[in-house]
Amino acid sequence: MTTVIRERDLEALVVGVTLLGSGGGGDSRAFGRILQRRLGSGDLELLDASDVADGYLSPVGVVGATSVLTEKLPSGKEFSTAVQAVSRWTGQPVDGLMSLEAGGLNGLSALVAAVDMGLPFVDADLMGRAMPRLDQFSWAVAGRSLTPCALSEPGGQVVVVDNIDPAGLERAVRSLVVHTGGWAVLALAPTPAAGATSDAVNGSLARALELGRAHAALPVSAAAPGDVAEALGGRLLGDGRVDEVARYGVRSHAPGGAGAFGRGTVCVVDEPSRAVVRIETENEYLLAMVDGEPVVTTPDLVCVLDRRTLQPIAVDAVRSGDEVLVLALPGPSWWRHGERLAHVGPRAFGLTCDPLLLEAS
């Protein structure tokens, strides 16, 4: 069934994609406001691949230091410029868009691009949540090439990349954005809709909207911690105060040294039991332990919510003294099959722990 996004849905959608960010993915609220202005009283359909069966889809999104977006705002042309560049290079017109990742701001950025370009949007993406590296796209994990692709940075420079493996593309993209505006729009090659979505996570934004609506229905001032977890379809790990936040230097665990990111640890003391909930972080929350025992890991979602407002708190925003709830939500089922888990489980981030996932519903 087709999901329709209207202005009244945007707050829920923002919260939903933030939850799918698992503490990362960038601040989605700026793109939420942009989408609100673009939509006005109109609407946007989240289509299935079958709705554009004969069309070619280009996955699009923002890459790089998404925090820089608040300092160096998009001009509005970056998405169309990148899509047009990869279309010219391949000689294939783009008939619709899908997202690179569903978590954080990229859960909304491709929607803005679809509205601006007047193109259909298919509810499929290459992560189903937020993750830090391009070699963790589902296309790459399935053995598909990510090139040719095009990057458009806010200064107007356009770069087309071809004939490079996913780890090499990760290094090339990081190098480009470091020396330009800190971020860029990435558009992958137009691909037949059936093929584009067969190795993708389908229905992520519909799930984000469902999560956001469930979150909005909670009585903020009176919601019991267990009720919050149940309403969101997850498990309560902790209810208490952040005792310590430690942040470490930059490390890389990707093939060939691609994608080096800062690491950290968040410790929460659960008030009812006095248990210590320890969360290992990179760009996202990766692993939660209770009294030293691992209980849930990526690709499931570890989410930290402000106890008073129930709003998700990002990895880079959590502080000592915050009163929080720590929840675990099921991650995308796509990653649970075969060898896919090795690419996004804790060992892919240098954590010596086997994946621990919630029971599949």
Side-chain angles (χ1 to χ4, degrees):
M1 184 175 66
T2 300
T3 300
V4 179
I5 303 294
R6 297 183 175 87
E7 184 179 12
R8 65 175 180 268
D9 300 311
L10 293 182
E11 181 60 30
L13 187 59
V14 166
V15 172
V17 298
T18 304
L19 289 170
L20 293 183
S22 192
D27 187 354
S28 57
R29 295 198 173 274
F31 274 98
R33 290 190 291 269
I34 294 171
L35 186 57
Q36 183 179 35
R37 291 195 294 270
R38 298 291 199 273
L39 275 184
S41 59
D43 57 45
L44 175 63
E45 291 185 333
L46 304 181
L47 303 177
D48 295 323
S50 59
D51 296 319
V52 289
D54 297 326
Y56 280 68
L57 304 179
S58 177
V60 297
V62 176
V63 295
T66 53
S67 60
V68 181
L69 277 164
T70 59
E71 302 172 9
K72 194 162 189 176
L73 296 172
S75 68
K77 299 179 180 179
E78 291 88 356
F79 281 94
S80 59
T81 299
V83 170
Q84 289 164 8
V86 78
S87 178
R88 287 195 305 271
W89 184 264
T90 60
Q92 176 60 56
V94 173
D95 303 305
L97 301 180
M98 53 186 281
S99 182
L100 293 179
E101 65 179 337
L105 66 85
N106 273 331
L108 301 179
S109 66
L111 294 177
V112 173
V115 174
D116 284 351
M117 298 176 67
L119 291 173
F121 182 88
V122 172
D123 187 6
D125 71 284
L126 306 185
M127 289 185 167
R129 46 159 296 159
M131 286 183 282
R133 305 196 312 261
L134 305 189
D135 59 286
Q136 292 173 315
F137 284 160
S138 59
W139 280 11
V141 171
R144 298 174 58 164
S145 176
L146 300 181
T147 60
C149 63
L151 293 128
S152 174
E153 57 90 24
Q157 183 177 197
V158 180
V159 175
V160 175
V161 183
D162 203 353
N163 297 322
I164 190 170
D165 65 17
L169 179 63
E170 168 73 19
R171 292 191 297 271
V173 168
R174 298 294 168 188
S175 178
L176 172 71
V177 298
V178 163
H179 294 94
T180 55
W183 63 271
V185 165
L186 173 65
L188 301 189
T191 303
T197 57
S198 64
D199 289 318
V201 182
N202 289 272
S204 296
L205 292 189
R207 183 195 179 192
L209 183 57
E210 181 181 347
L211 281 172
R213 286 171 173 167
H215 181 276
L218 290 166
V220 173
S221 60
D227 293 342
V228 175
E230 183 178 359
L232 299 179
R235 173 184 169 190
L236 179 68
L237 303 181
D239 167 20
R241 189 182 298 272
V242 177
D243 183 65
E244 181 182 15
V245 178
R247 294 186 169 93
Y248 316 120
V250 172
R251 303 178 189 177
S252 173
H253 305 286
F261 305 102
R263 295 290 297 273
T265 300
V266 178
C267 290
V268 177
V269 177
D270 180 68
E271 290 184 354
S273 68
R274 306 308 297 171
V276 175
V277 181
R278 175 175 169 174
I279 309 169
E280 293 299 314
T281 74
E282 199 173 85
N283 284 17
E284 294 80 29
Y285 300 115
L286 301 175
L287 161 69
M289 296 177 281
V290 177
D291 284 342
E293 290 294 325
V295 291
V296 67
T297 70
T298 177
D300 276 353
L301 309 167
V302 178
C303 302
V304 178
L305 309 187
D306 185 290
R307 184 64 184 86
R308 295 183 176 89
T309 67
L310 300 185
Q311 292 297 311
I313 304 176
V315 166
D316 58 2
V318 67
R319 297 289 184 270
S320 296
D322 288 347
E323 294 183 3
V324 301
L325 301 180
V326 182
L327 309 181
L329 307 182
S333 60
W334 193 91
W335 294 107
R336 292 174 178 255
H337 300 287
E339 298 180 357
R340 299 171 183 172
L341 193 54
H343 295 266
V344 295
R347 293 185 188 277
F349 298 91
L351 299 171
T352 55
C353 173
D354 293 327
L356 290 168
L357 305 180
L358 301 177
E359 290 186 10
S361 58

